[in-house]
């Protein structure tokens, strides 16, 4: 097996977050689902965008956020995701490359436009998210470079992207290529509603042994196993996957790898500003240690540190020097 060129390559939604502070009255006026996440069609996305106050544009998407953390921590990363050949598509591509992540998926011509999440932040800090998935749902299998996938030590897949048919086929193909090349396959379940829709697929992949590292939170674990007892759910899944990582918000996280178990407490934070991206950055911290062969407890500690950093400010990507934070707290 040849030496990998990349530490992690990810396949995920390519989305630009558009974030604006707004009044409570605007939430009511636009009839938004306050504090929730709503999927939009393109017409509604344009309507809300026109009504937004001045906003910041920050590239997002779950797997892309994880790569941003990994790249900040010094790992070599590449991303596969679909944007349209439009202004937001160019913003997304620029942000990925500026973060040090290779991103060469050809832009899609024509409709739909690049995906975006319109985020309205009220004075109390609550975020109301309105998502148009756009071009990201149309990632074709033929856009995958098999050589690129085979050149990465870890293939990281985003559960959110399992929903639309085209990218689901692309990810199945990527799994085949990675496993044939002797690479690790990591999978994040993303959200309970995704498991409700595609749980049979996910459970079959676990039964077939094609997932090497599984990331879930405790709610996703319960949905996946049908077991409300956390420890029972852990036991059920740990028997089927070499590495299981389960996060529990303020209760910390556990990991089980080849029968070894480790736990970590949540890192203290002066004030939780925004929990968006916490799971994405936990995965980044964990994988940054795992890729280097660090002990399981240190991988978890890295995850706790990176998750704590991202919930201390707005936005799903790190702002502090993660290398310095981890060096300070891990030594």
């Amino acid at each position: 097996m040849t030496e990998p060129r990349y530490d992690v390559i990810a396949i995920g939604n390519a989305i630009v977050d558009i974030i604006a502070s707004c009044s409570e009255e605007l939430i009511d006026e636009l009839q938004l689902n306050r504090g929730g996440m709503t999927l939009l069609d393109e017409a509604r996305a344009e309507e809300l965008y026109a009504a937004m106050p001045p906003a910041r544009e920050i590239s997002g998407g779950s797997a892309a956020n994880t790569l941003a953390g990994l790249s900040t921590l010094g790992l070599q990363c590449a991303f596969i995701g679909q944007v349209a050949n439009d202004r937001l598509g160019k913003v997304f591509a620029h942000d990925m490359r500026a973060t040090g992540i290779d991103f060469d998926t050809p832009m899609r011509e024509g409709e739909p436009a690049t995906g975006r999440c319109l985020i309205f932040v009220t004075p109390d800090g609550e975020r109301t998210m309105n998502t148009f998935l756009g071009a990201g749902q149309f990632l074709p299998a033929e856009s995958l470079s098999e050589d690129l996938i085979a050149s990465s030590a870890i293939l990281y897949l985003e559960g959110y992207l399992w929903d639309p048919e085209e990218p689901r086929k692309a990810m199945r193909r990527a799994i085949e290529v990675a496993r044939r090349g002797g690479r690790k396959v990591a999978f994040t379940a993303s959200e309970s509603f995704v498991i409700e829709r595609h749980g049979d697929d996910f459970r079959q992949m676990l039964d077939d042994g094609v997932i090497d590292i599984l990331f879930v939170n405790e709610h996703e674990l319960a949905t996946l196993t049908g077991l409300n007892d956390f420890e029972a759910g852990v036991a059920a899944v740990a028997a089927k996957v070499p590495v299981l990582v389960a996060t529990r918000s303020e209760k910390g996280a556990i990991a089980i790898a080849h029968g070894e178990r480790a736990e970590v407490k949540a890192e203290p934070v002066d004030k939780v500003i925004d929990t968006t991206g916490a799971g994405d950055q936990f995965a980044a911290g964990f994988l940054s240690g795992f890729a280097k062969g660090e002990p399981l407890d240190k991988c978890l500690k890295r995850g706790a540190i990176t998750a704590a950093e991202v919930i201390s400010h707005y936005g799903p990507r790190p702002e502090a020097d993660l290398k310095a934070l981890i060096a300070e707290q891990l030594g």
Side-chain angles (χ1 to χ4, degrees):
M1 185 166 56
T2 59
E3 191 70 18
R5 174 185 174 189
Y6 296 103
D7 297 300
V8 181
I9 186 170
I11 302 177
N13 271 310
I15 291 177
V16 176
D17 291 338
I18 303 174
I19 306 173
S21 298
C22 74
S23 65
E24 298 282 0
E25 290 75 19
L26 186 60
I27 298 291
D28 294 335
E29 178 186 331
L30 296 175
Q31 298 181 325
L32 302 181
N33 176 24
R34 192 187 193 286
M37 196 283 281
T38 304
L39 291 176
L40 311 175
D41 60 21
E42 190 164 1
R44 176 63 168 162
E46 290 295 337
E47 177 188 343
L48 294 186
Y49 181 66
M52 287 186 96
R56 291 181 298 151
E57 295 175 350
I58 305 170
S59 295
S62 175
N65 292 336
T66 295
L67 288 192
L70 285 165
S71 183
T72 301
L73 286 165
L75 278 71
Q76 296 298 309
C77 302
F79 180 71
I80 297 172
Q82 188 67 66
V83 296
N85 187 9
D86 56 18
R87 187 182 67 82
L88 287 183
K90 291 168 184 173
V91 167
F92 183 91
H94 171 269
D95 287 354
M96 295 298 283
R97 293 165 186 155
T99 311
I101 300 164
D102 284 355
F103 175 51
D104 298 313
T105 308
M107 290 183 171
R108 191 173 191 271
E109 299 296 335
E111 297 182 345
T114 296
R116 77 289 306 261
C117 183
L118 308 173
I119 304 171
F120 293 75
V121 184
T122 45
D124 61 357
E126 183 145 49
R127 294 157 65 88
T128 298
M129 297 186 289
N130 306 271
T131 304
F132 168 61
L133 295 172
Q137 297 182 93
F138 298 94
L139 175 71
E142 56 267 25
S143 71
L144 300 182
S145 165
E146 295 190 3
D147 288 343
L148 184 66
I149 292 165
S151 70
S152 178
I154 299 171
L155 170 67
Y156 183 78
L157 302 173
E158 175 185 326
Y160 282 126
L161 204 56
W162 201 263
D163 206 40
E165 183 177 356
E166 272 195 275
R168 182 166 65 249
K169 288 180 179 178
M171 288 195 286
R172 286 192 184 280
R173 180 61 182 152
I175 291 171
E176 293 175 4
V177 172
R179 295 201 64 80
R180 188 170 65 237
R183 307 309 190 187
K184 301 291 186 187
V185 177
F187 189 88
T188 175
S190 293
E191 187 70 59
S192 288
F193 81 82
V194 179
I195 301 171
E196 289 169 356
R197 291 170 62 89
H198 300 286
D200 288 345
D201 278 355
F202 300 161
R203 286 183 282 269
Q204 189 63 57
M205 288 194 293
L206 291 173
D207 289 342
D208 291 343
V210 300
I211 303 300
D212 298 291
I213 309 164
L214 177 66
F215 291 93
V216 290
N217 64 34
E218 60 182 330
H219 306 296
E220 294 157 3
L221 181 66
T223 305
L224 184 66
T225 62
L227 301 169
N228 290 324
D229 181 81
F230 178 72
E231 291 298 336
V234 166
V237 175
K240 298 181 178 182
V241 64
V243 181
L244 170 66
V245 182
T247 58
R248 309 186 74 188
S249 300
E250 72 279 359
K251 292 177 281 188
I254 68 103
I256 299 178
H258 307 288
E260 175 194 354
R261 178 173 175 138
E263 301 188 23
V264 68
K265 295 180 179 179
E267 288 289 303
V269 177
D270 290 337
K271 183 180 180 181
V272 176
I273 301 297
D274 174 17
T275 59
T276 306
D280 302 336
Q281 295 311 322
F282 191 99
F286 182 91
L287 288 174
S288 72
F290 184 86
K292 298 175 182 177
E294 291 190 358
L296 201 58
D297 59 343
K298 283 196 172 183
C299 295
L300 282 175
K301 183 69 172 178
R302 281 173 168 264
I305 292 168
T306 51
E309 190 280 335
V310 81
I311 66 176
S312 66
H313 58 77
Y314 287 118
R317 297 192 176 185
E319 293 182 354
D321 184 339
L322 294 184
K323 280 186 177 180
L325 278 177
I326 288 175
E328 177 185 341
Q329 297 187 47
L330 281 183

